[in-house]
Amino acid sequence: MKRFKAIFVMAICGLFLSACGNLGSSSGTGSGGNSSNKGTQLTGQASQGDYQSVIKNGRYVTSKSRGVNVSQNDNQFNLKSFESGLLTVSKKVYSPSKYIFEEGQYLNTSTVQKWLGRKSKSNPDGLNPVNNKKTGATTRNPIYLQQMEEQDFMKQDGKKLTLSGVTVGLGLNSVDYYEKKNFGSTYETHISKAEANREGRQIANQVLTRLRKKAALKNVPITIALYRQAPNDSLVGGNFFSYSTNKGTATKINSWKAISEKNYVYPTASSKSNAGNSNDENAFENFKNQIQNYFPNLSGVTAQAHYTNKQLTGMNVSITTQFYSETEIISFTQYLQQAAQKYLPSNAPIDITVSSTEGVQSFLSRDNGAKKFTSHVFNSY
Amino acid sequence: MKRFKAIFVMAICGLFLSACGNLGSSSGTGSGGNSSNKGTQLTGQASQGDYQSVIKNGRYVTSKSRGVNVSQNDNQFNLKSFESGLLTVSKKVYSPSKYIFEEGQYLNTSTVQKWLGRKSKSNPDGLNPVNNKKTGATTRNPIYLQQMEEQDFMKQDGKKLTLSGVTVGLGLNSVDYYEKKNFGSTYETHISKAEANREGRQIANQVLTRLRKKAALKNVPITIALYRQAPNDSLVGGNFFSYSTNKGTATKINSWKAISEKNYVYPTASSKSNAGNSNDENAFENFKNQIQNYFPNLSGVTAQAHYTNKQLTGMNVSITTQFYSETEIISFTQYLQQAAQKYLPSNAPIDITVSSTEGVQSFLSRDNGAKKFTSHVFNSY
């Protein structure tokens, strides 16, 4: 928690510092670029399913609302899961083989901060309900919209890039945390799925209407996706549950498509029977027992499991150990390569990270469709 | 530093806890192993140049002096560099294709702790000189031997493993840090290369003689390697400078071979002109400028460069950034893949790690002989 506070403060500082910088450099006239770096370039594609992204005058084009979401999330898992989940939605609509990614350029920091606030006299643009002055968990108006992110997609025509699609993600609370007085105790308002869905759709409609008023976005396809934030104590982020694609002419949302995605943490607390899939969980438990038996002093073995349409589509295993020696880490990583292959579910991409208090010691990864794990031990000279 | 203290304390605690555990389980009769895991197994080889290591009854065979070196090093870089450097020496003598690695089984914690101490009435086995009661930096007897590690190498004959080689590394101080009174200021005794070499050889001879007195080591080849510890403020570990291979019958060391290895940190402080190779440093500087221009808010770009026989044989690049969004990390990693390929020295294995205060965000790696960097972005669901 302390660590998170620190990054929170750093992010806030960075936010104000970078807000000015961005305005200057994102217009494409930024100074300091090497002469060989004039004009627009692309980052290149690391692997086939990834977007290339835009470089202008040798500089990465950062988001106009850079850093806002860092400060909006008390649970860092919601931050990463929201952003990579939004990319997954975008890939369904704007194929990485045809479109180029650019960080959001049309919603700037002050706009996003106003929209994320409550509607009030001083903030008429707030997308969250007015403060009804009540403090009861069920009687007050909760904050529904916790974070939002814009992603832009360009098509390349010779040397020219044209904006050809926009995706906006809306992160909606499952729990709204609030205080009855400043620095007082924290209370919770729980928001049901149905309520979040209803409010999310209504907010999405307002967002679409407002975006259409911007000249650059008048005739561009706009996708809006709804995300349910995980509670602050969750060890895994929330998930997208619905999205809507809107033609360049649409000013109202006509239809929504459901997204079936779910995240779980293994091992599950025995009291809550919300496992994703008992086969996968058993496989993970066998793996865990095997490696804990093999290697003394493993202080934690947990996994994030990601399901799409009830199929396991990804797993991140975190192993925490005390560091005794580099040779132990090398041997342990070799053993993990065998054990993971033998015990963990096949047919899904899996990452395994071995960390100590000094940081990541080694990691293993098996890509989608690959048969074997590759491994890397972090060395130091 | 605070963080290091924490791990130091944890390691010490772990040390005492594990010291007993090891004695019980390392005899190969440990309980709790699955019935399917009886007997001796191997971990498998992650890549061609690595050793397989030994599993007994489903458990990893840990060192008999596990954790001592963690507590002996105030600079963690000396720890990793010592252990992986010792493996490199071992590979010269005991080929990974013919030998199997086992953590040291013949020097236990109490022996190593005695040997690392000063010679005295209560500790006649101390390999460091007696305390001459002087406190002047040049008049006192410094601690020469700071850490030591044993590595065992087995040959496989059917189901049987036979000890067929031992390597012992001796870590010798370049600076000995001391206090004139408890909890007082820290003073330094500098130890020249010549002095460390002379004392190291003399200690190595004593170690060989003592090891020969153990029945199991009477007729086994023993390699002893000398390592010069880096100062506590160094951002890179020390290096091995000499080793000696001794046949199964030798009780005295007859000859030493020189090892030409050096580590540097780039960028070098301008005041000290101790760069490894100006071409490599220029290449790194170009890379650094390029990516700092490209990506705002990089708070640090440094490299450890490792030279063998004056040739660059490895580089670890560390990039520290503030975390703004997952999409930035993805784009930045893609860009790094291009920039590293273009600017960093070819013909050497290179690791690049991108970290924020939350930990490692992504990493790139190019193996020895490989043409391209592979990359991995650490995701979270």
Side-chain angles (χ1 to χ4, degrees), chain A residues 60 66 76 80 83 294 297 326 328 351 358 361 376 381, chain B residues 60 66 76 80 83 237 294 297 326 328 351 358 361 376 381:
Chain A
Y60 183 64
R66 192 181 193 217
Q76 52 155 314
K80 282 204 165 190
E83 286 171 344
Y294 165 75
N297 311 96
E326 186 72 7
E328 283 198 358
D351 279 7
E358 284 182 79
Q361 298 299 332
H376 187 84
Y381 293 112
Chain B
Y60 183 63
R66 191 180 193 217
Q76 51 156 312
K80 282 204 167 190
E83 286 171 343
Y294 165 76
N297 310 97
E326 186 72 6
E328 283 197 359
D351 280 6
E358 284 183 79
Q361 298 298 331
H376 187 83
Y381 294 113

PDB file of all heavy atoms in Angstrom, chain A residues 60 66 76 80 83 294 297 326 328 351 358 361 376 381, chain B residues 60 66 76 80 83 237 294 297 326 328 351 358 361 376 381:
ATOM      1  N   TYR A  60       7.489   9.565 -29.183  1.00  0.00           N
ATOM      2  CA  TYR A  60       6.254   8.807 -29.032  1.00  0.00           C
ATOM      3  C   TYR A  60       5.127   9.795 -28.776  1.00  0.00           C
ATOM      4  O   TYR A  60       5.278  10.758 -28.030  1.00  0.00           O
ATOM      5  CB  TYR A  60       6.390   7.847 -27.855  1.00  0.00           C
ATOM      6  CG  TYR A  60       5.177   6.970 -27.670  1.00  0.00           C
ATOM      7  CD1 TYR A  60       4.811   6.061 -28.650  1.00  0.00           C
ATOM      8  CD2 TYR A  60       4.406   7.055 -26.521  1.00  0.00           C
ATOM      9  CE1 TYR A  60       3.698   5.249 -28.488  1.00  0.00           C
ATOM     10  CE2 TYR A  60       3.299   6.243 -26.351  1.00  0.00           C
ATOM     11  CZ  TYR A  60       2.946   5.357 -27.338  1.00  0.00           C
ATOM     12  OH  TYR A  60       1.844   4.555 -27.179  1.00  0.00           O
ATOM     13  N   ARG A  66      -2.785  11.637 -20.407  1.00  0.00           N
ATOM     14  CA  ARG A  66      -1.785  10.737 -19.843  1.00  0.00           C
ATOM     15  C   ARG A  66      -1.767  10.771 -18.313  1.00  0.00           C
ATOM     16  O   ARG A  66      -1.664  11.840 -17.709  1.00  0.00           O
ATOM     17  CB  ARG A  66      -0.417  11.175 -20.365  1.00  0.00           C
ATOM     18  CG  ARG A  66       0.687  10.195 -20.113  1.00  0.00           C
ATOM     19  CD  ARG A  66       1.989  10.750 -20.660  1.00  0.00           C
ATOM     20  NE  ARG A  66       2.990   9.715 -20.700  1.00  0.00           N
ATOM     21  CZ  ARG A  66       4.269   9.924 -20.438  1.00  0.00           C
ATOM     22  NH1 ARG A  66       4.708  11.132 -20.134  1.00  0.00           N
ATOM     23  NH2 ARG A  66       5.124   8.934 -20.487  1.00  0.00           N
ATOM     24  N   GLN A  76      -4.101  -1.310  -8.613  1.00  0.00           N
ATOM     25  CA  GLN A  76      -3.357  -1.263  -9.873  1.00  0.00           C
ATOM     26  C   GLN A  76      -3.799  -2.341 -10.860  1.00  0.00           C
ATOM     27  O   GLN A  76      -3.599  -2.200 -12.060  1.00  0.00           O
ATOM     28  CB  GLN A  76      -1.856  -1.379  -9.609  1.00  0.00           C
ATOM     29  CG  GLN A  76      -1.503  -2.563  -8.737  1.00  0.00           C
ATOM     30  CD  GLN A  76      -0.079  -3.045  -8.937  1.00  0.00           C
ATOM     31  OE1 GLN A  76       0.401  -3.194 -10.051  1.00  0.00           O
ATOM     32  NE2 GLN A  76       0.590  -3.282  -7.829  1.00  0.00           N
ATOM     33  N   LYS A  80      -4.073  -1.998 -15.357  1.00  0.00           N
ATOM     34  CA  LYS A  80      -3.489  -2.775 -16.447  1.00  0.00           C
ATOM     35  C   LYS A  80      -4.550  -3.583 -17.184  1.00  0.00           C
ATOM     36  O   LYS A  80      -4.525  -3.705 -18.402  1.00  0.00           O
ATOM     37  CB  LYS A  80      -2.428  -3.734 -15.895  1.00  0.00           C
ATOM     38  CG  LYS A  80      -1.120  -3.058 -15.578  1.00  0.00           C
ATOM     39  CD  LYS A  80       0.024  -4.076 -15.617  1.00  0.00           C
ATOM     40  CE  LYS A  80       1.363  -3.386 -15.669  1.00  0.00           C
ATOM     41  NZ  LYS A  80       2.461  -4.309 -15.942  1.00  0.00           N
ATOM     42  N   GLU A  83      -6.641  -1.350 -19.504  1.00  0.00           N
ATOM     43  CA  GLU A  83      -5.972  -0.897 -20.722  1.00  0.00           C
ATOM     44  C   GLU A  83      -5.696  -2.030 -21.698  1.00  0.00           C
ATOM     45  O   GLU A  83      -5.872  -1.872 -22.904  1.00  0.00           O
ATOM     46  CB  GLU A  83      -4.681  -0.162 -20.364  1.00  0.00           C
ATOM     47  CG  GLU A  83      -5.006   1.210 -19.808  1.00  0.00           C
ATOM     48  CD  GLU A  83      -3.824   1.926 -19.218  1.00  0.00           C
ATOM     49  OE1 GLU A  83      -2.798   1.271 -18.959  1.00  0.00           O
ATOM     50  OE2 GLU A  83      -3.927   3.147 -19.016  1.00  0.00           O
ATOM     51  N   TYR A 294       9.084 -29.542  -4.071  1.00  0.00           N
ATOM     52  CA  TYR A 294      10.411 -29.578  -4.676  1.00  0.00           C
ATOM     53  C   TYR A 294      11.347 -28.538  -4.080  1.00  0.00           C
ATOM     54  O   TYR A 294      12.506 -28.813  -3.781  1.00  0.00           O
ATOM     55  CB  TYR A 294      10.280 -29.313  -6.180  1.00  0.00           C
ATOM     56  CG  TYR A 294      11.579 -28.967  -6.877  1.00  0.00           C
ATOM     57  CD1 TYR A 294      12.521 -29.957  -7.151  1.00  0.00           C
ATOM     58  CD2 TYR A 294      11.853 -27.661  -7.262  1.00  0.00           C
ATOM     59  CE1 TYR A 294      13.708 -29.648  -7.791  1.00  0.00           C
ATOM     60  CE2 TYR A 294      13.035 -27.348  -7.898  1.00  0.00           C
ATOM     61  CZ  TYR A 294      13.963 -28.340  -8.160  1.00  0.00           C
ATOM     62  OH  TYR A 294      15.133 -28.026  -8.783  1.00  0.00           O
ATOM     63  N   ASN A 297      10.977 -23.002   0.954  1.00  0.00           N
ATOM     64  CA  ASN A 297      10.888 -21.551   1.117  1.00  0.00           C
ATOM     65  C   ASN A 297      10.180 -20.807   0.005  1.00  0.00           C
ATOM     66  O   ASN A 297      10.499 -19.654  -0.269  1.00  0.00           O
ATOM     67  CB  ASN A 297      12.281 -20.914   1.279  1.00  0.00           C
ATOM     68  CG  ASN A 297      13.120 -21.625   2.299  1.00  0.00           C
ATOM     69  OD1 ASN A 297      13.920 -22.475   1.948  1.00  0.00           O
ATOM     70  ND2 ASN A 297      12.913 -21.303   3.553  1.00  0.00           N
ATOM     71  N   GLU A 326      22.006 -17.633  -6.971  1.00  0.00           N
ATOM     72  CA  GLU A 326      21.710 -17.610  -8.395  1.00  0.00           C
ATOM     73  C   GLU A 326      21.554 -19.033  -8.930  1.00  0.00           C
ATOM     74  O   GLU A 326      20.699 -19.290  -9.771  1.00  0.00           O
ATOM     75  CB  GLU A 326      22.859 -16.883  -9.115  1.00  0.00           C
ATOM     76  CG  GLU A 326      22.664 -16.645 -10.582  1.00  0.00           C
ATOM     77  CD  GLU A 326      21.630 -15.584 -10.909  1.00  0.00           C
ATOM     78  OE1 GLU A 326      21.132 -14.909  -9.982  1.00  0.00           O
ATOM     79  OE2 GLU A 326      21.307 -15.439 -12.093  1.00  0.00           O
ATOM     80  N   GLU A 328      20.414 -21.626  -7.388  1.00  0.00           N
ATOM     81  CA  GLU A 328      19.083 -22.132  -7.026  1.00  0.00           C
ATOM     82  C   GLU A 328      18.037 -21.622  -8.003  1.00  0.00           C
ATOM     83  O   GLU A 328      17.135 -22.357  -8.415  1.00  0.00           O
ATOM     84  CB  GLU A 328      18.692 -21.690  -5.608  1.00  0.00           C
ATOM     85  CG  GLU A 328      19.366 -22.487  -4.525  1.00  0.00           C
ATOM     86  CD  GLU A 328      18.661 -22.349  -3.172  1.00  0.00           C
ATOM     87  OE1 GLU A 328      17.671 -21.596  -3.067  1.00  0.00           O
ATOM     88  OE2 GLU A 328      19.118 -22.995  -2.220  1.00  0.00           O
ATOM     89  N   ASP A 351       2.139 -17.282 -18.467  1.00  0.00           N
ATOM     90  CA  ASP A 351       3.358 -16.615 -17.993  1.00  0.00           C
ATOM     91  C   ASP A 351       3.621 -17.056 -16.561  1.00  0.00           C
ATOM     92  O   ASP A 351       2.679 -17.138 -15.756  1.00  0.00           O
ATOM     93  CB  ASP A 351       3.181 -15.091 -17.963  1.00  0.00           C
ATOM     94  CG  ASP A 351       3.361 -14.459 -19.320  1.00  0.00           C
ATOM     95  OD1 ASP A 351       3.496 -15.190 -20.308  1.00  0.00           O
ATOM     96  OD2 ASP A 351       3.349 -13.211 -19.382  1.00  0.00           O
ATOM     97  N   GLU A 358      13.971  -8.679  -3.956  1.00  0.00           N
ATOM     98  CA  GLU A 358      14.824  -7.848  -4.809  1.00  0.00           C
ATOM     99  C   GLU A 358      14.269  -7.651  -6.216  1.00  0.00           C
ATOM    100  O   GLU A 358      14.907  -7.013  -7.039  1.00  0.00           O
ATOM    101  CB  GLU A 358      16.203  -8.488  -4.940  1.00  0.00           C
ATOM    102  CG  GLU A 358      17.058  -8.313  -3.732  1.00  0.00           C
ATOM    103  CD  GLU A 358      18.420  -8.934  -3.974  1.00  0.00           C
ATOM    104  OE1 GLU A 358      19.245  -8.290  -4.644  1.00  0.00           O
ATOM    105  OE2 GLU A 358      18.647 -10.056  -3.513  1.00  0.00           O
ATOM    106  N   GLN A 361      13.277 -12.550 -10.577  1.00  0.00           N
ATOM    107  CA  GLN A 361      14.495 -13.348 -10.713  1.00  0.00           C
ATOM    108  C   GLN A 361      14.512 -14.130 -12.021  1.00  0.00           C
ATOM    109  O   GLN A 361      15.550 -14.310 -12.634  1.00  0.00           O
ATOM    110  CB  GLN A 361      14.632 -14.311  -9.526  1.00  0.00           C
ATOM    111  CG  GLN A 361      14.760 -13.619  -8.174  1.00  0.00           C
ATOM    112  CD  GLN A 361      15.982 -12.731  -8.090  1.00  0.00           C
ATOM    113  OE1 GLN A 361      16.988 -12.959  -8.744  1.00  0.00           O
ATOM    114  NE2 GLN A 361      15.893 -11.668  -7.314  1.00  0.00           N
ATOM    115  N   HIS A 376      13.743 -17.479 -18.973  1.00  0.00           N
ATOM    116  CA  HIS A 376      14.832 -16.505 -18.888  1.00  0.00           C
ATOM    117  C   HIS A 376      15.157 -16.263 -17.423  1.00  0.00           C
ATOM    118  O   HIS A 376      14.263 -16.001 -16.619  1.00  0.00           O
ATOM    119  CB  HIS A 376      14.418 -15.193 -19.553  1.00  0.00           C
ATOM    120  CG  HIS A 376      15.546 -14.219 -19.650  1.00  0.00           C
ATOM    121  ND1 HIS A 376      16.460 -14.255 -20.674  1.00  0.00           N
ATOM    122  CD2 HIS A 376      15.933 -13.220 -18.841  1.00  0.00           C
ATOM    123  CE1 HIS A 376      17.358 -13.305 -20.498  1.00  0.00           C
ATOM    124  NE2 HIS A 376      17.066 -12.657 -19.396  1.00  0.00           N
ATOM    125  N   TYR A 381      25.933  -8.811 -13.837  1.00  0.00           N
ATOM    126  CA  TYR A 381      27.388  -8.965 -13.910  1.00  0.00           C
ATOM    127  C   TYR A 381      28.050  -8.322 -12.703  1.00  0.00           C
ATOM    128  O   TYR A 381      27.483  -7.436 -12.093  1.00  0.00           O
ATOM    129  CB  TYR A 381      27.926  -8.328 -15.200  1.00  0.00           C
ATOM    130  CG  TYR A 381      27.460  -9.059 -16.430  1.00  0.00           C
ATOM    131  CD1 TYR A 381      26.574  -8.472 -17.316  1.00  0.00           C
ATOM    132  CD2 TYR A 381      27.893 -10.357 -16.692  1.00  0.00           C
ATOM    133  CE1 TYR A 381      26.142  -9.140 -18.441  1.00  0.00           C
ATOM    134  CE2 TYR A 381      27.457 -11.040 -17.808  1.00  0.00           C
ATOM    135  CZ  TYR A 381      26.586 -10.434 -18.681  1.00  0.00           C
ATOM    136  OH  TYR A 381      26.152 -11.106 -19.776  1.00  0.00           O
TER     137      TYR A 381
ATOM    138  N   TYR B  60      14.614 -30.427  -4.349  1.00  0.00           N
ATOM    139  CA  TYR B  60      15.864 -29.858  -4.807  1.00  0.00           C
ATOM    140  C   TYR B  60      16.898 -30.016  -3.701  1.00  0.00           C
ATOM    141  O   TYR B  60      16.598 -29.812  -2.527  1.00  0.00           O
ATOM    142  CB  TYR B  60      15.670 -28.382  -5.141  1.00  0.00           C
ATOM    143  CG  TYR B  60      16.910 -27.735  -5.693  1.00  0.00           C
ATOM    144  CD1 TYR B  60      17.454 -28.154  -6.900  1.00  0.00           C
ATOM    145  CD2 TYR B  60      17.542 -26.700  -5.007  1.00  0.00           C
ATOM    146  CE1 TYR B  60      18.592 -27.571  -7.418  1.00  0.00           C
ATOM    147  CE2 TYR B  60      18.682 -26.108  -5.525  1.00  0.00           C
ATOM    148  CZ  TYR B  60      19.202 -26.550  -6.729  1.00  0.00           C
ATOM    149  OH  TYR B  60      20.330 -25.966  -7.238  1.00  0.00           O
ATOM    150  N   ARG B  66      23.690 -22.979   2.610  1.00  0.00           N
ATOM    151  CA  ARG B  66      22.701 -22.125   1.969  1.00  0.00           C
ATOM    152  C   ARG B  66      22.509 -20.802   2.704  1.00  0.00           C
ATOM    153  O   ARG B  66      22.261 -20.776   3.907  1.00  0.00           O
ATOM    154  CB  ARG B  66      21.380 -22.887   1.961  1.00  0.00           C
ATOM    155  CG  ARG B  66      20.319 -22.259   1.102  1.00  0.00           C
ATOM    156  CD  ARG B  66      19.049 -23.095   1.175  1.00  0.00           C
ATOM    157  NE  ARG B  66      18.125 -22.699   0.132  1.00  0.00           N
ATOM    158  CZ  ARG B  66      16.808 -22.658   0.301  1.00  0.00           C
ATOM    159  NH1 ARG B  66      16.268 -22.998   1.442  1.00  0.00           N
ATOM    160  NH2 ARG B  66      16.036 -22.284  -0.696  1.00  0.00           N
ATOM    161  N   GLN B  76      24.592  -6.457  -3.287  1.00  0.00           N
ATOM    162  CA  GLN B  76      23.978  -7.642  -3.898  1.00  0.00           C
ATOM    163  C   GLN B  76      24.596  -7.976  -5.259  1.00  0.00           C
ATOM    164  O   GLN B  76      24.522  -9.116  -5.704  1.00  0.00           O
ATOM    165  CB  GLN B  76      22.469  -7.437  -4.049  1.00  0.00           C
ATOM    166  CG  GLN B  76      22.119  -6.137  -4.720  1.00  0.00           C
ATOM    167  CD  GLN B  76      20.748  -6.163  -5.387  1.00  0.00           C
ATOM    168  OE1 GLN B  76      20.414  -7.084  -6.102  1.00  0.00           O
ATOM    169  NE2 GLN B  76      19.978  -5.123  -5.136  1.00  0.00           N
ATOM    170  N   LYS B  80      25.338 -12.088  -6.976  1.00  0.00           N
ATOM    171  CA  LYS B  80      24.929 -12.729  -8.231  1.00  0.00           C
ATOM    172  C   LYS B  80      26.114 -12.937  -9.159  1.00  0.00           C
ATOM    173  O   LYS B  80      26.242 -13.958  -9.826  1.00  0.00           O
ATOM    174  CB  LYS B  80      23.881 -11.867  -8.942  1.00  0.00           C
ATOM    175  CG  LYS B  80      22.506 -11.994  -8.345  1.00  0.00           C
ATOM    176  CD  LYS B  80      21.459 -11.630  -9.398  1.00  0.00           C
ATOM    177  CE  LYS B  80      20.080 -12.045  -8.941  1.00  0.00           C
ATOM    178  NZ  LYS B  80      19.084 -11.931 -10.010  1.00  0.00           N
ATOM    179  N   GLU B  83      28.298 -15.878  -8.004  1.00  0.00           N
ATOM    180  CA  GLU B  83      27.729 -17.210  -8.231  1.00  0.00           C
ATOM    181  C   GLU B  83      27.649 -17.569  -9.702  1.00  0.00           C
ATOM    182  O   GLU B  83      27.964 -18.695 -10.096  1.00  0.00           O
ATOM    183  CB  GLU B  83      26.360 -17.315  -7.562  1.00  0.00           C
ATOM    184  CG  GLU B  83      26.528 -17.440  -6.062  1.00  0.00           C
ATOM    185  CD  GLU B  83      25.254 -17.331  -5.287  1.00  0.00           C
ATOM    186  OE1 GLU B  83      24.260 -16.850  -5.861  1.00  0.00           O
ATOM    187  OE2 GLU B  83      25.252 -17.698  -4.115  1.00  0.00           O
ATOM    188  N   GLY B 237      28.983  -6.055 -10.159  1.00  0.00           N
ATOM    189  CA  GLY B 237      29.742  -6.923  -9.272  1.00  0.00           C
ATOM    190  C   GLY B 237      31.215  -6.976  -9.624  1.00  0.00           C
ATOM    191  O   GLY B 237      31.673  -6.348 -10.578  1.00  0.00           O
ATOM    192  N   TYR B 294      12.895   9.783 -27.657  1.00  0.00           N
ATOM    193  CA  TYR B 294      11.649   9.162 -28.114  1.00  0.00           C
ATOM    194  C   TYR B 294      10.585   9.151 -27.034  1.00  0.00           C
ATOM    195  O   TYR B 294       9.420   9.444 -27.266  1.00  0.00           O
ATOM    196  CB  TYR B 294      11.935   7.724 -28.545  1.00  0.00           C
ATOM    197  CG  TYR B 294      10.709   6.854 -28.697  1.00  0.00           C
ATOM    198  CD1 TYR B 294       9.878   6.992 -29.806  1.00  0.00           C
ATOM    199  CD2 TYR B 294      10.398   5.891 -27.740  1.00  0.00           C
ATOM    200  CE1 TYR B 294       8.751   6.193 -29.950  1.00  0.00           C
ATOM    201  CE2 TYR B 294       9.272   5.088 -27.894  1.00  0.00           C
ATOM    202  CZ  TYR B 294       8.454   5.243 -28.989  1.00  0.00           C
ATOM    203  OH  TYR B 294       7.347   4.459 -29.127  1.00  0.00           O
ATOM    204  N   ASN B 297      10.018  11.031 -19.807  1.00  0.00           N
ATOM    205  CA  ASN B 297       9.998  10.510 -18.438  1.00  0.00           C
ATOM    206  C   ASN B 297      10.771   9.225 -18.202  1.00  0.00           C
ATOM    207  O   ASN B 297      10.392   8.428 -17.352  1.00  0.00           O
ATOM    208  CB  ASN B 297       8.549  10.270 -17.962  1.00  0.00           C
ATOM    209  CG  ASN B 297       7.659  11.456 -18.187  1.00  0.00           C
ATOM    210  OD1 ASN B 297       6.944  11.485 -19.193  1.00  0.00           O
ATOM    211  ND2 ASN B 297       7.721  12.415 -17.323  1.00  0.00           N
ATOM    212  N   GLU B 326      -0.402   0.806 -19.886  1.00  0.00           N
ATOM    213  CA  GLU B 326       0.045  -0.441 -20.482  1.00  0.00           C
ATOM    214  C   GLU B 326       0.357  -0.245 -21.971  1.00  0.00           C
ATOM    215  O   GLU B 326       1.315  -0.810 -22.486  1.00  0.00           O
ATOM    216  CB  GLU B 326      -1.059  -1.489 -20.296  1.00  0.00           C
ATOM    217  CG  GLU B 326      -0.716  -2.875 -20.740  1.00  0.00           C
ATOM    218  CD  GLU B 326       0.277  -3.593 -19.845  1.00  0.00           C
ATOM    219  OE1 GLU B 326       0.633  -3.061 -18.782  1.00  0.00           O
ATOM    220  OE2 GLU B 326       0.712  -4.687 -20.239  1.00  0.00           O
ATOM    221  N   GLU B 328       1.491   2.400 -23.429  1.00  0.00           N
ATOM    222  CA  GLU B 328       2.807   3.046 -23.571  1.00  0.00           C
ATOM    223  C   GLU B 328       3.918   2.013 -23.455  1.00  0.00           C
ATOM    224  O   GLU B 328       4.894   2.053 -24.196  1.00  0.00           O
ATOM    225  CB  GLU B 328       3.014   4.123 -22.502  1.00  0.00           C
ATOM    226  CG  GLU B 328       2.285   5.405 -22.787  1.00  0.00           C
ATOM    227  CD  GLU B 328       2.822   6.578 -21.959  1.00  0.00           C
ATOM    228  OE1 GLU B 328       3.753   6.378 -21.154  1.00  0.00           O
ATOM    229  OE2 GLU B 328       2.299   7.685 -22.120  1.00  0.00           O
ATOM    230  N   ASP B 351      20.556  -8.164 -22.596  1.00  0.00           N
ATOM    231  CA  ASP B 351      19.249  -8.135 -21.933  1.00  0.00           C
ATOM    232  C   ASP B 351      18.854  -6.688 -21.700  1.00  0.00           C
ATOM    233  O   ASP B 351      19.699  -5.880 -21.301  1.00  0.00           O
ATOM    234  CB  ASP B 351      19.319  -8.805 -20.550  1.00  0.00           C
ATOM    235  CG  ASP B 351      19.262 -10.317 -20.626  1.00  0.00           C
ATOM    236  OD1 ASP B 351      19.287 -10.854 -21.749  1.00  0.00           O
ATOM    237  OD2 ASP B 351      19.209 -10.950 -19.553  1.00  0.00           O
ATOM    238  N   GLU B 358       6.639  -0.110  -9.730  1.00  0.00           N
ATOM    239  CA  GLU B 358       5.833  -1.304  -9.477  1.00  0.00           C
ATOM    240  C   GLU B 358       6.523  -2.595  -9.867  1.00  0.00           C
ATOM    241  O   GLU B 358       5.923  -3.661  -9.740  1.00  0.00           O
ATOM    242  CB  GLU B 358       4.528  -1.214 -10.252  1.00  0.00           C
ATOM    243  CG  GLU B 358       3.534  -0.262  -9.635  1.00  0.00           C
ATOM    244  CD  GLU B 358       2.248  -0.294 -10.414  1.00  0.00           C
ATOM    245  OE1 GLU B 358       1.467  -1.220 -10.225  1.00  0.00           O
ATOM    246  OE2 GLU B 358       2.045   0.607 -11.234  1.00  0.00           O
ATOM    247  N   GLN B 361       8.320  -4.137 -16.066  1.00  0.00           N
ATOM    248  CA  GLN B 361       7.180  -3.969 -16.971  1.00  0.00           C
ATOM    249  C   GLN B 361       7.361  -4.767 -18.257  1.00  0.00           C
ATOM    250  O   GLN B 361       6.414  -5.287 -18.821  1.00  0.00           O
ATOM    251  CB  GLN B 361       6.972  -2.493 -17.304  1.00  0.00           C
ATOM    252  CG  GLN B 361       6.647  -1.626 -16.089  1.00  0.00           C
ATOM    253  CD  GLN B 361       5.359  -2.036 -15.412  1.00  0.00           C
ATOM    254  OE1 GLN B 361       4.449  -2.553 -16.035  1.00  0.00           O
ATOM    255  NE2 GLN B 361       5.297  -1.845 -14.106  1.00  0.00           N
ATOM    256  N   HIS B 376       9.130  -9.291 -24.296  1.00  0.00           N
ATOM    257  CA  HIS B 376       7.983  -9.744 -23.520  1.00  0.00           C
ATOM    258  C   HIS B 376       7.472  -8.589 -22.669  1.00  0.00           C
ATOM    259  O   HIS B 376       8.242  -7.946 -21.970  1.00  0.00           O
ATOM    260  CB  HIS B 376       8.379 -10.916 -22.617  1.00  0.00           C
ATOM    261  CG  HIS B 376       7.206 -11.532 -21.927  1.00  0.00           C
ATOM    262  ND1 HIS B 376       6.406 -12.476 -22.529  1.00  0.00           N
ATOM    263  CD2 HIS B 376       6.672 -11.318 -20.708  1.00  0.00           C
ATOM    264  CE1 HIS B 376       5.447 -12.829 -21.705  1.00  0.00           C
ATOM    265  NE2 HIS B 376       5.589 -12.135 -20.588  1.00  0.00           N
ATOM    266  N   TYR B 381      -4.127  -9.595 -15.659  1.00  0.00           N
ATOM    267  CA  TYR B 381      -5.554  -9.704 -15.987  1.00  0.00           C
ATOM    268  C   TYR B 381      -6.377  -8.994 -14.927  1.00  0.00           C
ATOM    269  O   TYR B 381      -5.936  -8.822 -13.813  1.00  0.00           O
ATOM    270  CB  TYR B 381      -5.975 -11.178 -16.075  1.00  0.00           C
ATOM    271  CG  TYR B 381      -5.319 -11.882 -17.226  1.00  0.00           C
ATOM    272  CD1 TYR B 381      -4.383 -12.882 -17.005  1.00  0.00           C
ATOM    273  CD2 TYR B 381      -5.615 -11.527 -18.548  1.00  0.00           C
ATOM    274  CE1 TYR B 381      -3.774 -13.537 -18.060  1.00  0.00           C
ATOM    275  CE2 TYR B 381      -5.001 -12.174 -19.612  1.00  0.00           C
ATOM    276  CZ  TYR B 381      -4.088 -13.170 -19.361  1.00  0.00           C
ATOM    277  OH  TYR B 381      -3.475 -13.795 -20.403  1.00  0.00           O
TER     278      TYR B 381
END
